[in-house]
Amino acid sequence: MTDVKGIGDAMARKLKANGIRTAEELAETPDISLGKAVGTGAYSYRKEAQNLLKQRKDDALERIVAA
């Protein structure tokens, strides 16, 4: 989870305590649940998780095309 930009160890623990253990889970967490779990900054963390997952997908596609 700490590979998501802006999330350090303390925030990762807070997310995990609220049932959000992976970048995928964070990217898909509904607004109401995310706001309750994290509070201020929740939506920017979700956006960063979505960006990270998109980048990973793009990188994987590039490797497949290059092979």
Side-chain angles (χ1 to χ4, degrees):
M1 181 69 78
T2 55
D3 52 343
V4 175
K5 184 178 176 182
I7 296 181
D9 291 336
M11 181 55 68
R13 284 191 299 274
K14 186 174 185 177
L15 289 164
K16 186 175 180 182
N18 283 280
I20 304 169
R21 296 180 249 338
T22 66
E24 291 81 4
E25 290 175 348
L26 176 57
E28 296 175 3
T29 302
D31 286 351
I32 190 82
S33 300
L34 190 58
K36 288 180 181 178
V38 181
T40 305
Y43 310 109
S44 64
Y45 294 136
R46 181 175 57 201
K47 185 65 176 171
E48 290 298 336
Q50 292 167 341
N51 290 341
L52 174 66
L53 295 175
K54 183 183 180 318
Q55 186 61 52
R56 287 179 180 171
K57 181 179 176 181
D58 291 347
D59 291 348
L61 288 173
E62 283 183 32
R63 286 192 301 273
I64 290 169
V65 170

